[in-house]
Amino acid sequence: MQQWLNDVVKASPEIALFLSLAIGVWLGRRRVAGVSLGNAASVLIVATVLGAVWTGPLGIQYPALLKTVAFGLFVFCVGFQGGPQFFASLSRRTVKQVVLAVFLVSVGLLTTLLVAKLWGFDKGTAAGIGAGGLTETAMLATAVSSLSELGLSAVELQAQQANAAVAFALTYIFGAVAVIVFIPHIAPRLLGIDLKQEAATLEAELFAASGAAQETLAYRRLEARAYRVGVAAGASVAEIESMLSGGRSLVESVRRAGRPLVVEPGLFLQADDEVVVAGHRAAIVKAASVIGPELEGYELLAPVQGVQAEVVITQAAASGRSLGEATATLGAQARGVFLKALRRGGVALPITPATELMRGDVLTLIGSSADVERVTALVGKPLAHGESGDLAYLGLGLVAGTLLGLLGVHVGGIPVELGAGGGVLIAGLLFGWYNSRHPLVGYIPHHASRGFWDIGLAMFVALIGLNAGPQALDALREQGGQVLMAGAIVTLVPQVAALYFGRYVLRMHPVYLCGALAGAQTQDAAMVATNDAAESATPVLGFTVPYAVGNVGLTLIGPLVVALV
């Protein structure tokens, strides 16, 4: 049986690669005490084990070109998804969040270099410790790619990559658990606050800050009901809306004797008119006492409930403003349109007047067709939809990034170039930014882009593990204990330093700060844990900008570790 398996994998080496992906992703989804390793880290571990006990002893080596393709695909998608938020974050409103993310990344780099010097780690080990301690697999990928550009012999390169893989595997587990525990539980105690209480107070302040005029975009999800005019006979539309919680509910349509009327503030209602009111539940539930008995006329509600559109923010009327400011700017032009959801980079944001809007954010608007089309033209463009993405745009971006990586200059006689990772990442940022401004150009669905990211990264680390497996056991025996200790330092020092820097130097609100710490270290799981601990979604308001900056920053410092150790 063993010989048959060996013959099969020799004839088709891709079997071990696919097996690494299958087992690694399955393990990455398993949760222990609420913590999972994630796809890439688990795939790397499984591939390293398979390389050490199976493909390595058989002398199987996987081609470098395959790694290059996988690496380019995932790095481009990192930039493509982060581009809109990365460039939009470069504003005065988000400067504190950007500075915090840059600070954490910088401290992470310096801490990695310090432990490498203290213990005398080689470049590969240092890169693995930095990537694992900072829980950023993309950093490992760019670092390993840089190792291949140093002109090392094949034996030395495999040894360095094995060291990187082992160091990452050892440090990532502690790093992920430590960050998930530190941010929602330890950080608030160090600051002497109750995170749940702070979030509740912040949430109340955010909603109390709403001062939007009557005829503006509603902040809450749409609820609509139909009524027959009774007690409201003789009252104007404006008077009815004023009685329904100060304009947070609107008269959407009026029918008189079966014929629709043009709804205007000065329209006076008559007995037996059929009226549809849309707005907040708190206002809707008392509409019957203000207007008349509720109707079961579902056909009246169809024009209100049936039109929904996703809109990408591209216009100055919304970009760079808070939601409250944007609605005030739109004024009466937003009448009849309700905001159902707000997403940034696939992350749902809480809908409050203080929520900052950025170019590339996606609004889900609901209302009548004419109203939604009017507001869409004012704030952005319809989000393109479809099952397939623009592969030509993706290919062009990869070509541009690869060529950009080949460009270089000489500094003091030393050649300096971006390399494949840096060039493709910058191209991804620019192509993603351009797509956010022109959504119909280069459309790549978010789930497709994320799929390319996951597949490219998983394949890349699997190939690293399979090729480096034979040397991994030696690396583990020689430096396992030291690597674990160094990884713990690289995880904790940046988090603690950024916590106090953000609170006492940048003066950030502690709820935003906790979200920003999770974002800067690109830890979605820590964000979820923080939301759970706060029993609120408000920490997300500090998460998205540092996440975009952290993704780019941590990816870029991988080659710096290799160059400076």
Side-chain angles (χ1 to χ4, degrees):
M1 183 65 175
Q2 180 65 45
Q3 186 59 47
W4 177 80
L5 289 174
N6 290 344
D7 292 339
V8 167
V9 78
K10 281 182 179 180
S12 302
E14 65 273 18
I15 289 177
L17 174 60
F18 296 150
L19 192 60
S20 298
L21 295 176
I23 298 176
V25 171
W26 181 82
L27 287 176
R29 294 173 178 170
R30 304 304 101 186
R31 289 185 174 273
V32 178
V35 178
S36 63
L37 286 178
N39 292 347
S42 296
V43 168
L44 176 63
I45 294 172
V46 171
T48 302
V49 172
L50 290 180
V53 302
W54 193 15
T55 60
L58 294 177
I60 296 174
Q61 282 292 304
Y62 293 84
L65 179 60
L66 186 57
K67 285 198 300 182
T68 301
V69 171
F71 176 75
L73 191 62
F74 112 80
V75 170
F76 179 84
C77 290
V78 169
F80 186 85
Q81 285 201 7
Q85 285 72 48
F86 180 79
F87 288 109
S89 68
L90 305 179
S91 68
R92 289 182 299 171
R93 290 179 175 274
T94 58
V95 64
K96 290 184 178 181
Q97 297 177 28
V98 173
V99 170
L100 181 80
V102 172
F103 179 83
L104 188 147
V105 170
S106 301
V107 174
L109 172 61
L110 293 175
T111 307
T112 301
L113 297 176
L114 179 63
V115 298
K117 182 175 179 61
L118 181 64
W119 274 289
F121 294 133
D122 58 32
K123 294 178 182 293
T125 303
I129 291 172
L134 296 171
T135 65
E136 181 54 74
T137 314
M139 178 181 168
L140 175 70
T142 54
V144 170
S145 178
S146 295
L147 287 173
S148 63
E149 299 173 3
L150 295 179
L152 302 175
S153 67
V155 174
E156 178 62 18
L157 178 59
Q158 284 189 21
Q160 293 274 6
Q161 290 180 343
N163 292 345
V166 169
F168 177 84
L170 288 175
T171 56
Y172 183 90
I173 297 175
F174 174 85
V177 173
V179 172
I180 292 171
V181 173
F182 178 84
I183 294 174
H185 302 296
I186 299 176
R189 293 186 180 183
L190 293 177
L191 297 180
I193 64 164
D194 183 324
L195 184 61
K196 180 180 176 181
Q197 182 59 48
E198 290 286 345
T201 302
L202 175 62
E203 199 167 77
E205 292 174 353
L206 291 176
F207 283 104
S210 176
Q214 177 172 335
E215 296 177 351
T216 56
L217 183 69
Y219 296 129
R220 302 295 186 112
R221 292 190 175 188
L222 172 68
E223 184 164 329
R225 297 186 185 181
Y227 302 89
R228 185 178 302 281
V229 174
V231 295
S236 69
V237 167
E239 290 171 339
I240 294 297
E241 291 178 343
S242 179
M243 287 186 283
L244 296 176
S245 71
R248 300 310 321 139
S249 296
L250 303 173
V251 174
E252 277 292 322
S253 67
V254 178
R255 285 189 185 184
R256 182 170 296 164
R259 294 179 300 171
L261 302 180
V262 176
V263 179
E264 297 176 338
L267 175 65
F268 287 90
L269 303 180
Q270 297 181 6
D272 293 327
D273 283 353
E274 296 172 337
V275 176
V276 172
V277 178
H280 296 181
R281 174 174 294 182
I284 293 294
V285 293
K286 68 176 185 179
S289 62
V290 173
I291 301 173
E294 185 172 355
L295 298 174
E296 296 296 332
Y298 296 107
E299 72 282 354
L300 298 175
L301 304 182
V304 180
Q305 294 180 327
V307 179
Q308 179 172 308
E310 291 188 313
V311 180
V312 180
I313 293 178
T314 62
Q315 301 297 329
S319 177
R321 302 173 184 265
S322 69
L323 183 55
E325 292 171 341
T327 57
T329 299
L330 293 172
Q333 297 177 96
R335 177 186 173 84
V337 177
F338 290 78
L339 179 59
K340 182 179 180 181
L342 170 61
R343 301 196 315 277
R344 179 176 301 153
V347 178
L349 299 182
I351 299 175
T352 75
T355 300
E356 299 288 339
L357 301 178
M358 292 185 180
R359 192 180 300 275
D361 287 354
V362 177
L363 307 173
T364 301
L365 303 180
I366 190 168
S368 68
S369 178
D371 290 339
V372 169
E373 288 178 5
R374 182 181 66 252
V375 173
T376 297
L378 293 171
V379 302
K381 297 181 180 179
L383 180 67
H385 285 282
E387 294 298 324
S388 60
D390 190 343
L391 294 182
Y393 192 73
L394 173 65
L396 182 62
L398 290 169
V399 170
T402 303
L403 293 175
L404 183 61
L406 296 176
L407 299 178
V409 296
H410 284 76
V411 179
I414 301 174
V416 178
E417 60 183 34
L418 287 172
V424 174
L425 177 61
I426 292 175
L429 288 169
L430 294 174
F431 275 59
W433 168 80
Y434 186 83
N435 172 254
S436 72
R437 298 182 69 94
H438 307 277
L440 301 181
V441 178
Y443 170 64
I444 301 177
H446 178 80
H447 62 272
S449 176
R450 186 68 208 193
F452 289 144
W453 176 337
D454 289 339
I455 292 171
L457 180 56
M459 286 190 64
F460 182 77
V461 297
L463 292 165
I464 292 173
L466 290 169
N467 283 341
Q471 292 81 23
L473 293 177
D474 292 336
L476 178 62
R477 283 192 294 264
E478 292 175 5
Q479 296 181 316
Q482 294 176 339
V483 165
L484 281 171
M485 188 178 299
I489 294 173
V490 172
T491 296
L492 296 175
V493 169
Q495 282 287 318
V496 175
L499 175 69
Y500 287 110
F501 178 77
R503 184 62 176 142
Y504 298 110
V505 177
L506 299 179
R507 303 289 182 180
M508 293 180 67
H509 191 286
V511 176
Y512 293 151
L513 176 57
C514 288
L517 289 175
Q521 202 151 330
T522 65
Q523 266 287 350
D524 302 76
M527 182 71 264
V528 173
T530 303
N531 283 348
D532 290 344
E535 296 184 7
S536 168
T538 51
V540 175
L541 296 174
F543 175 79
T544 56
V545 169
Y547 183 83
V549 177
N551 248 325
V552 174
L554 291 174
T555 301
L556 286 175
I557 67 172
L560 288 178
V561 173
V562 172
L564 297 175
V565 170

